[in-house]
Amino acid sequence: MDSVTAMPLRGRARVQIQTQAGVMTRAKATLHRMLCTVAATLTLFAVSVPVNAESSVWQASKGDETVFLGGTIHLLRAQDYPLPEAYAAAYDASDRLFFEIDQSQMADMGVQARMMQRLTYQDERTLQSVLDDETYAALAAYAENAGLPMAMMQKFKPGMLLTTLSLIEFQSRGFTPQGVDAYYSTRAMGDGKTRGALETIDEQIDMLAGMGEGYESEFVAYSLRDLETIGEAMDEMLVAWRSGDLEALESQFIKPMLEEAPELYESMLVERNNNWMPQIEAMFDEPGTEFVLVGAAHLVGEHGVLAMLSDRGYEVSRVGAAD
């Protein structure tokens, strides 16, 4: 939700469950889909808007060396294609692509087993025990309205809980994990271009597992409040993303998180951006050209990758469709 995020959503999905066996079957099916796509739901959302000459693609230069940076949306619908033309321009000019994680590993059964182990409570804790009464009541009311059994989710850690709810919501709206990242990972594989990752699957699992730890009630309450504006937020964010409107993206995503969930901002964006910077800077000393594709929220704001590169003396400019 580069993304979970605790992506906001509204309780519209309905899960029809008739028996206890049905509960378990649906729970396993939902969990399987979540495990296959949880790392892809970390940041922003997507809806269809007209192609714009601008986009969320930039290039950073140092002398004759260039690294392209593309802000991505991790979940898209078929009608959201084609992508803005600047993505194709950067892709065609690049020799190697780098993503947040290795997309191909998400289907690995070992990875899914580790997710299940680390994103659920393995001790006596449950959501009811870690949340205060008010927040748990709000969560239970949301789950009831959405037709989701709380019994299915009691052992979910907050990061897994909100990712699962987000995935169900977006699937109900026709979105799939075939977003920008998956599209270009598959294309690079077919074209024989080298692919790399800025962090490991396990690092991203750890990030999700730690979401809300120590401030579970605040984290869940913040996320539930966001659910009320999901439709409008999706439209506004997609318009900002496709046009590369950094100010709008910062206003819509970064500022609310800073004000209401600074711990989440620090762990989901700042820490990871700082970890990625040495890798991105090293690319300027390598032969050839790289295209770095990460959730759009990682590029914006004073702690965003673009600002950090600019502060370190790199020339940063937007890539136009005709570039």
Side-chain angles (χ1 to χ4, degrees):
M1 356 196 18
D2 88 111
S3 312
V4 35
T5 55
M7 288 193 297
L9 56 120
R10 182 168 304 179
R12 300 290 186 186
R14 294 292 184 270
V15 180
Q16 300 301 322
I17 300 172
Q18 302 300 327
T19 65
Q20 183 61 29
V23 170
M24 295 308 299
T25 299
R26 182 66 184 199
K28 290 177 181 177
T30 298
L31 181 58
H32 177 75
R33 291 195 303 272
M34 189 283 296
L35 290 174
C36 290
T37 58
V38 62
T41 62
L42 294 182
T43 44
L44 300 178
F45 327 105
V47 292
S48 182
V49 295
V51 173
N52 193 294
E54 303 290 359
S55 72
S56 291
V57 181
W58 287 265
Q59 64 181 45
S61 303
K62 181 179 73 172
D64 295 330
E65 299 299 322
T66 292
V67 171
F68 292 101
L69 301 120
T72 68
I73 301 296
H74 302 309
L75 300 173
L76 288 174
R77 303 174 304 181
Q79 59 263 42
D80 296 318
Y81 288 89
L83 299 173
E85 294 176 9
Y87 286 89
Y91 176 84
D92 291 341
S94 299
D95 304 291
R96 294 178 295 279
L97 277 74
F98 285 83
F99 305 90
E100 294 181 26
I101 59 170
D102 181 348
Q103 301 280 317
S104 65
Q105 292 185 19
M106 290 308 301
D108 184 272
M109 294 301 293
V111 170
Q112 294 183 30
R114 294 200 300 277
M115 284 184 175
M116 183 65 172
Q117 175 76 18
R118 288 149 65 179
L119 296 179
T120 59
Y121 292 119
Q122 300 298 311
D123 51 25
E124 72 282 355
R125 287 177 295 172
T126 65
L127 283 171
Q128 187 166 12
S129 71
V130 301
L131 299 177
D132 61 40
D133 292 343
E134 181 179 359
T135 303
Y136 184 78
L139 174 61
Y142 171 83
E144 180 179 1
N145 184 50
L148 297 170
M150 282 301 300
M152 182 187 87
M153 303 183 291
Q154 277 292 346
K155 300 298 285 186
F156 285 10
K157 291 182 178 180
M160 182 171 178
L161 169 71
L162 272 302
T163 301
T164 301
L165 296 179
S166 299
L167 180 59
I168 292 172
E169 171 66 16
F170 281 94
Q171 287 182 331
S172 75
R173 293 171 179 262
F175 293 96
T176 77
Q178 299 305 308
V180 180
D181 315 72
Y183 174 82
Y184 276 111
S185 179
T186 301
R187 184 170 174 184
M189 184 185 302
D191 292 340
K193 292 194 178 188
T194 301
R195 295 170 298 151
L198 297 175
E199 60 191 21
T200 66
I201 290 284
D202 288 286
E203 287 174 327
Q204 199 159 95
I205 294 173
D206 288 342
M207 185 270 295
L208 281 169
M211 273 188 172
E213 187 173 5
Y215 59 101
E216 290 86 354
S217 294
E218 292 84 352
F219 175 79
V220 172
Y222 164 74
S223 301
L224 291 175
R225 286 195 298 271
D226 273 355
L227 308 185
E228 298 303 317
T229 59
I230 180 60
E232 181 181 351
M234 289 168 64
D235 292 340
E236 292 178 354
M237 284 189 184
L238 226 293
V239 169
W241 167 71
R242 292 200 78 122
S243 63
D245 189 334
L246 293 176
E247 184 177 345
L249 285 172
E250 183 175 2
S251 175
Q252 295 163 13
F253 191 79
I254 302 298
K255 289 182 179 178
M257 190 183 297
L258 269 173
E259 293 173 358
E260 298 191 51
E263 299 93 344
L264 181 62
Y265 173 77
E266 185 70 24
S267 64
M268 192 179 78
L269 296 177
V270 178
E271 291 180 6
R272 295 169 71 207
N273 290 352
N274 287 335
N275 290 339
W276 296 346
M277 281 305 294
Q279 300 176 68
I280 294 174
E281 287 197 275
M283 296 175 191
F284 290 93
D285 297 321
E286 297 292 331
T289 301
E290 295 79 14
F291 188 12
V292 178
L293 289 152
V294 297
H298 289 283
L299 300 183
V300 305
E302 64 175 314
H303 299 113
V305 171
L306 296 179
M308 288 196 287
L309 285 170
S310 181
D311 290 343
R312 297 182 190 196
Y314 297 90
E315 183 179 346
V316 178
S317 59
R318 189 191 307 275
V319 176
D323 288 3

